[in-house]
Amino acid sequence: MKLSQRITQLTEGGSDGWGVFYRARRMISEGQAVTELTIGEHDIRTDPSILAEMELSARQGHTGYAMVPGTELLRETVAARIQTRTGVNTTRDNILITPGGQSALFAAHVAVCDPGDVGLYLDPYYATYPGTIRGAGAVARVVQTTAEDAFQPRADRIDAASEGAVSLLINSPNNPTGVVYSRQTLEAVAEVCRRRDLWLISDEVYDTQVWDGTHISPRALPDMLARTLVIGSMSKSHAMTGSRCGWVAGPPDVIEHMINLATHTTYGVPGFIQDAAVFALNAGPELENRITAPFRRRRKLAMDILAAQNTVGLIPAQGAMYLMLDIRPTGLNGEGFANALLDTHAIAVMPGESFGQAAAGHIRVAMTIDDDRFAAALRTICCFAAELSSGR
Ligand SMILES: Cc1ncc(COP(=O)(O)O)c(C=O)c1O
């Protein structure tokens, strides 16, 4: 039987860079000790206080169908959070609660792209981006950023790619690069969006993980309110990856259409999860800081270790739970280096090539193991790179 092109061409074969990840997984399942620095997931679990609230809500009976747009309380709580963080007037009518940020990304593209429209995204990119755009029926067109620009997007490149485009997807703080887009970058990107009449889909799921600089939501920039859809999530800010709770913030008329889409796709998010999310958000910065603290610490450890050597380059590690390391002096590409590192030292990292072409010759290191093992792994990576480069 024939299957749709939409589903069979979703991933277009993907990148070979994922081979390292699967090899590491296999080694672990065979009982080998592998230092796992591939995955973007906290090494702590959801806080017991959030779980207690989840259980209480479920026991109180919130296990049936929940309101499709999200409970009024959660929509209001998310709106208040966004208003506090950005200064932009936001009400519950601006918010749709979704099963995670990923579902919000898909819904946003369905909302603004017709089949055959072009959706732009930036390389390097979070693994699901091109498939998400294609899944919405649009044509995914990539715009390169470069290590030389510290992976800050350039407005002229976006402009040059924007023929036929209806949307641009950006992500700051960025996975995989750890870069936070500057105000100057975002203002230039916003200017292109206005001039080229593009929707801006702004993935801000790492908005609590900022180590250097300031997170600016482009929805708050002049004349961007009506053309920006912000993607948010409880996954990274509250270590609730498995709870599948996120949101889209946008103009009320767009949200209305997206609620209609949700009625015909996800049918909402469980009520007990939403109650737990309200509890977690109301717990305020103290809880958020507790969750981000290990990454802030490890990033500082990494800066010190990298400053003491001169082979491996560090892309400015301004936010998110990753480091992007430039290993080009070794003469290997990211994939070659990651494979050799796994074979020689049983350390698993992601090759830059698994996130597109722009980060070739780099590796992404997730800061998701305890401090001592993390520091030891990073020292080993630096020594290994130095050996390879001196042997050239
Ligand atoms: C940049 C980015 N966006 C979105 C997501 C999706 O997160 P979730 O669906 O768990 O909210 C992730 C997950 O790793 C991510 O890194």
Side-chain angles (χ1 to χ4, degrees):
M1 292 293 289
K2 178 185 168 299
L3 289 172
S4 75
Q5 288 193 6
R6 187 178 284 193
I7 198 100
T8 53
Q9 290 176 14
L10 204 66
T11 47
E12 283 193 340
S15 161
D16 287 339
W18 284 84
V20 184
F21 171 80
Y22 291 118
R23 214 155 62 77
R25 281 288 139 115
R26 209 167 40 246
M27 288 166 68
I28 292 166
S29 73
E30 287 165 3
Q32 295 189 51
V34 174
T35 305
E36 241 290 12
L37 301 172
T38 58
I39 281 292
E41 185 156 35
H42 318 67
D43 44 329
I44 52 162
R45 299 285 88 186
T46 304
D47 196 80
S49 63
I50 301 175
L51 296 180
E53 190 67 21
M54 211 179 273
E55 184 184 357
L56 181 68
S57 169
R59 289 198 182 279
Q60 282 174 344
H62 297 170
T63 53
Y65 291 123
M67 305 260 290
V68 171
T71 63
E72 293 195 354
L73 188 56
L74 180 56
R75 293 171 82 198
E76 276 160 13
T77 307
V78 169
R81 178 183 193 266
I82 291 175
Q83 184 162 320
T84 306
R85 293 176 72 90
T86 64
V88 180
N89 190 28
T90 307
T91 72
R92 71 159 183 256
D93 295 338
N94 295 108
I95 307 296
L96 166 69
I97 304 300
T98 59
Q102 180 55 45
S103 165
L105 283 164
F106 178 69
H109 282 93
V110 171
V112 302
C113 296
D114 271 320
D117 282 346
V118 171
L120 300 175
Y121 66 107
L122 303 170
D123 181 352
Y125 50 82
Y126 171 53
T128 67
Y129 278 5
T132 302
I133 297 171
R134 281 194 284 268
V139 175
R141 183 182 292 161
V142 74
V143 180
Q144 300 292 317
T145 63
T146 65
E148 288 62 41
D149 291 330
F151 295 116
Q152 296 272 337
R154 284 215 337 233
D156 57 340
R157 291 186 179 214
I158 297 168
D159 186 55
S162 62
E163 199 58 49
V166 298
S167 63
L168 168 66
L169 172 55
I170 64 170
N171 170 223
S172 177
N174 187 273
N175 176 12
T177 62
V179 166
V180 174
Y181 294 169
S182 67
R183 176 173 288 279
Q184 196 185 4
T185 293
L186 287 167
E187 282 175 350
V189 166
E191 192 278 324
V192 179
C193 290
R194 289 190 296 265
R195 187 158 40 78
R196 292 287 194 168
D197 199 20
L198 299 176
W199 284 97
L200 183 59
I201 301 175
S202 178
D203 180 342
E204 302 179 20
V205 302
Y206 292 98
D207 68 349
T208 59
Q209 298 184 5
V210 179
W211 325 128
D212 186 17
T214 313
H215 168 66
I216 294 162
S217 176
R219 181 168 174 263
L221 295 179
D223 298 324
M224 290 305 289
L225 198 56
R227 62 170 71 250
T228 305
L229 300 175
V230 173
I231 309 302
S233 174
M234 299 300 293
S235 287
K236 312 293 175 174
S237 58
H238 292 82
M240 290 177 70
T241 48
S243 292
R244 312 310 303 135
C245 187
W247 57 83
V248 184
D253 58 325
V254 185
I255 296 296
E256 269 305 312
H257 286 294
M258 292 174 83
I259 292 170
N260 198 10
L261 176 69
T263 303
H264 294 88
T265 51
T266 61
Y267 215 79
V269 173
F272 56 93
I273 298 287
Q274 297 196 59
D275 287 346
V278 169
F279 171 86
L281 291 172
N282 285 339
E286 193 275 320
L287 178 57
E288 288 181 11
N289 292 342
R290 194 144 41 90
I291 291 162
T292 54
F295 304 124
R296 190 182 291 280
R297 255 192 346 255
R298 290 167 200 161
R299 180 246 185 200
K300 172 78 177 70
L301 280 173
M303 303 271 285
D304 292 345
I305 292 167
L306 286 155
Q309 55 86 58
N310 49 21
T311 309
V312 176
L314 173 65
I315 298 297
Q318 299 165 304
M321 51 177 85
Y322 315 99
L323 304 173
M324 184 62 90
L325 303 182
D326 183 351
I327 48 80
R328 286 176 291 184
T330 64
L332 296 178
N333 65 13
E335 207 176 330
F337 185 88
N339 272 306
L341 185 68
L342 186 60
D343 289 334
T344 316
H345 293 288
I347 296 173
V349 297
M350 292 300 287
E353 290 83 1
S354 26
F355 309 103
Q357 287 313 303
H362 292 69
I363 54 170
R364 188 194 75 173
V365 177
M367 300 189 280
T368 48
I369 57 171
D370 70 73
D371 298 18
D372 290 347
R373 286 172 64 230
F374 176 70
L378 212 51
R379 285 196 190 94
T380 304
I381 291 172
C382 291
C383 290
F384 187 54
E387 279 161 30
L388 288 171
S389 74
S390 68
R392 289 182 76 189

